[in-house]
Amino acid sequence: MRMNFQSKKMSGSASKDRMIAKFMQLTATGEKTASFCLSIHGWKLDEACDYYFSNPEKYARDHKQQIMVDRKKIQHLFDRYRDPSADVVSVSSSHDGLLRFFQDIQLD
């Protein structure tokens, strides 16, 4: 009976390893992040991926995965392309912020 328990335990472990590998492949995360997110969501791959992509900084556990946001840089980027009269990035006859953005990233 003990061998039966061990084989079930090993197959469960192998299944979790496959899920971790699949999560890592889908999300480009590390093993710690994958394991953490999957365990939080009951080892349901679809659910874990959905929650990860909706809030990656909440789930990041790998050092290289930590997401740092510099709000000043984001504000500077927005200000560079925004329409001052509407406080949005837009394309209009009076303002072409979106077109300038496309030119800056060399998108034809």
Side-chain angles (χ1 to χ4, degrees):
M1 186 147 319
R2 185 178 178 124
M3 286 178 58
N4 190 14
F5 175 73
Q6 283 288 76
S7 65
K8 284 184 180 180
K9 186 176 179 181
M10 287 179 66
S11 70
S13 177
S15 176
K16 287 182 179 180
D17 288 345
R18 283 192 300 274
M19 290 183 80
I20 289 171
K22 186 66 173 176
F23 185 93
M24 290 169 58
Q25 178 186 17
L26 293 170
T27 61
T29 60
E31 187 174 353
K32 288 180 184 178
T33 298
S35 180
F36 174 73
C37 196
L38 284 162
S39 66
I40 293 270
H41 295 286
W43 296 93
K44 298 173 190 162
L45 183 61
D46 289 344
E47 182 178 314
C49 286
D50 286 345
Y51 278 93
Y52 173 79
F53 283 121
S54 68
N55 197 359
E57 57 276 349
K58 177 180 177 182
Y59 295 101
R61 292 294 179 262
D62 301 292
H63 179 67
K64 64 182 178 184
Q65 287 296 121
Q66 296 296 326
I67 299 169
M68 303 302 284
V69 176
D70 185 336
R71 294 193 184 279
K72 288 181 183 178
K73 286 182 180 180
I74 293 172
Q75 185 64 48
H76 175 72
L77 184 63
F78 175 77
D79 289 344
R80 184 172 177 177
Y81 300 107
R82 77 181 176 99
D83 179 348
S85 65
D87 203 31
V88 297
V89 175
S90 65
V91 178
S92 67
S93 58
S94 63
H95 185 74
D96 60 352
L98 195 55
L99 295 175
R100 266 189 301 126
F101 173 73
F102 288 149
Q103 289 171 345
D104 288 351
I105 64 170
Q106 299 176 351
L107 183 67
D108 294 330

